[in-house]
Amino acid sequence: MPQVSLNQRELADLEMIASGAMSPLEGFMTEAEYRGAVDSMRLPSGVVWSIPVVLSAKTKEQERLKPGVEVALLDEAGNALAVMEVSDRYGVSQEYEAQMVLRTTDEGHPGVQYLRSISSVYLGGNIHLIRHPEHRDFLRYRLAPKETRVLFAARGWNRVAAFQTRNPIHRAHEYLQKCALEITDGILIHPLVGETKADDIPADVRMRCYEELIERYYPRERVVLSVFPAAMRYAGPREAIFHAVVRKNYGCTHFIVGRDHAGVGDYYGTYDAQTIFGEFDPQDIDITPLFFDHAFYCTRCGNMASTKTCPHGKDDHVFLSGTKVRQMLSEGELPPAEFTRPEVAAVLAESATKGGGA
Amino acid sequence: MAGQTPDMVTLKIPRPLYERVQQLIEGTGFRSVTEFATYVLRDLAAQPALEKRPARKKAPARMTAAELKAARQRLRELGYL
């Protein structure tokens, strides 16, 4: 049987398809599914789907794979994880895909760099899982969608908000989560642990921050911490739609969208990831997005607030850029408690001294 | 709009909308707002696109009793339940 080795993103996609996280996808995208996702953010069935989920041919030999052929999908160690029945083999314009999905063809964008690194021939077809990808980290936090749904039902939660960021959690994120908790039964804190940029905060550091925070500042019975195995696309608005719709499969009814969700650099406007939801009928999205403005601690209000709720100026707001936080930590200085909980700051400081960044 | 008879029911719409439609149908051949609304609704209801509209929510695959038991067991072992 021919074999295709999966890269990190494809491996994460395979795991999510197999677990039902990417339902209704049952395999890597066929050409019709791909065209629908790229051109109109919908699958041929009409279901909203804003991101291509594709398997690239890795060698010239694989490019000769024909529909009807079964191929073994391997992890990086050469373990066979699944069999895919190839139904489509199709060439694409990655320039067009980048422009449509990432809204740029700039080589500085990590998503464009990824596209440049893979073949422009994709293989589509349903997969049949043989074994789950092997993990050595976050084992106790890896819950499949069917498990989170059982968990929410067991806790009696009907309204569940999902929250995701690839950044360490600061007071602003905590504020968003607790605002969401005020109007829902529980929250799924769902940090992304798939492949990210090399200079993003490592997932293990982010998870330790969450553990510290939840232990001390959250009502445990109303929070579930679990990991989201997807790889980052850095597709900003389109990825926000994707992150929202897949959370339905996990049993969530609401999804928090803050400023520049899934963005990178200055490729997207601050609230592009929110306005894109307006392009769809809410019934088609079928999960309620919770939009939040820029949040901060206001010294005059004496509390956390956002530009929607605070009348004061920037001079009264405690806000630090990621660059500033990294600089402070590298100099042995902790961010103020109004910006980051001391316990989280300690985790970040420890990571920074080991070269993990903040 | 329509009187209450065995074959007909009454629909309520905002009065400003009713008055606006009244203006719109002047000279069009529609004799009343009721006639116009019936025409539009009948036309809309006949569109196959409405029936093909994506399901609001994909029903999660039904779990067998064994799968449910296994999921609960794992959640307990991990400390979630």
Side-chain angles (χ1 to χ4, degrees), chain A residues 111-273:
Chain A
V112 176
Q113 291 167 12
Y114 174 80
L115 285 175
R116 298 267 189 272
S117 75
I118 62 172
S119 161
S120 60
V121 175
Y122 295 163
L123 305 172
N126 285 359
I127 59 160
H128 307 281
L129 192 71
I130 299 171
R131 57 189 269 194
H132 287 280
E134 191 177 343
H135 293 291
R136 296 196 175 87
D137 52 4
F138 315 123
L139 297 183
R140 62 163 294 207
Y141 292 116
R142 291 188 182 274
L143 298 182
K146 64 182 177 186
E147 291 170 330
T148 54
R149 290 199 302 264
V150 169
L151 177 55
F152 300 156
R155 290 194 180 186
W157 294 358
N158 293 314
R159 293 157 59 87
V160 186
F163 176 87
Q164 172 197 318
T165 175
R166 67 174 198 276
N167 297 314
I169 183 163
H170 297 302
R171 292 288 300 274
H173 303 114
E174 179 185 340
Y175 174 70
L176 269 50
Q177 293 172 1
K178 289 184 172 173
C179 284
L181 258 184
E182 293 286 359
I183 59 164
T184 57
D185 302 321
I187 188 164
L188 171 65
I189 298 179
H190 217 197
L192 179 144
V193 297
E195 189 179 36
T196 59
K197 294 190 285 101
D199 59 348
D200 280 343
I201 304 298
D204 63 320
V205 176
R206 288 184 278 125
M207 287 299 286
R208 277 168 42 217
C209 292
Y210 279 115
E211 288 170 341
E212 290 289 342
L213 202 67
I214 292 170
E215 177 70 25
R216 290 169 173 78
Y217 299 102
Y218 282 65
R220 292 298 305 268
E221 71 283 1
R222 294 191 62 213
V223 179
V224 168
L225 176 62
S226 178
V227 295
F228 181 55
M232 273 304 294
R233 263 82 171 174
Y234 301 96
R238 284 243 192 172
E239 195 161 6
I241 295 288
F242 167 71
H243 285 161
V245 297
V246 297
R247 263 34 181 256
K248 286 189 292 185
N249 291 323
Y250 286 90
C252 299
T253 56
H254 295 68
F255 183 69
I256 295 171
V257 186
R259 56 193 288 276
D260 200 21
H261 183 97
V264 62
D266 56 1
Y267 290 99
Y268 308 108
T270 306
Y271 297 108
D272 284 358

Side-chain angles (χ1 to χ4, degrees), chain A residues 23 142 147 225 281 286, chain B residues 53 56-58 60 74 80:
Chain A
S23 176
R142 291 188 182 274
E147 291 170 330
L225 176 62
D281 184 327
D286 199 29
Chain B
R53 192 186 187 88
R56 280 204 63 203
K57 195 163 197 171
K58 186 180 189 306
R74 180 158 190 266
Y80 284 99

Side-chain angles (χ1 to χ4, degrees), chain B:
Chain B
M1 292 168 65
Q4 197 81 33
T5 71
D7 296 327
M8 307 288 270
V9 295
T10 302
L11 291 178
K12 289 186 177 178
I13 62 172
R15 182 167 295 282
L17 175 62
Y18 178 84
E19 288 166 355
R20 173 75 180 127
V21 174
Q22 250 182 338
Q23 290 172 357
L24 280 175
I25 62 175
E26 271 179 16
T28 62
F30 287 105
R31 288 172 297 184
S32 66
V33 172
T34 295
E35 194 176 287
F36 176 76
T38 303
Y39 173 82
V40 170
L41 290 173
R42 192 170 276 151
D43 189 50
L44 199 63
Q47 283 180 20
L50 275 182
E51 292 160 21
K52 288 183 180 170
R53 192 186 187 88
R56 280 204 63 203
K57 195 163 197 171
K58 186 180 189 306
R62 222 176 170 75
M63 294 174 75
T64 64
E67 286 175 325
L68 191 59
K69 186 178 175 188
R72 283 192 178 133
Q73 178 64 26
R74 180 158 190 266
L75 291 167
R76 266 193 293 273
E77 287 169 1
L78 294 175
Y80 284 99
L81 287 178

Side-chain angles (χ1 to χ4, degrees), chain A residues 22-26 29-30 32-38 40-53, chain B residues 54:
Chain A
M22 287 207 189
S23 176
L25 294 188
E26 295 184 356
M29 283 183 164
T30 62
E33 289 170 335
Y34 169 82
R35 304 279 176 213
V38 171
S40 58
M41 294 192 276
R42 287 182 188 271
L43 298 176
S45 63
V47 169
V48 173
W49 201 275
S50 54
I51 292 284
V53 178

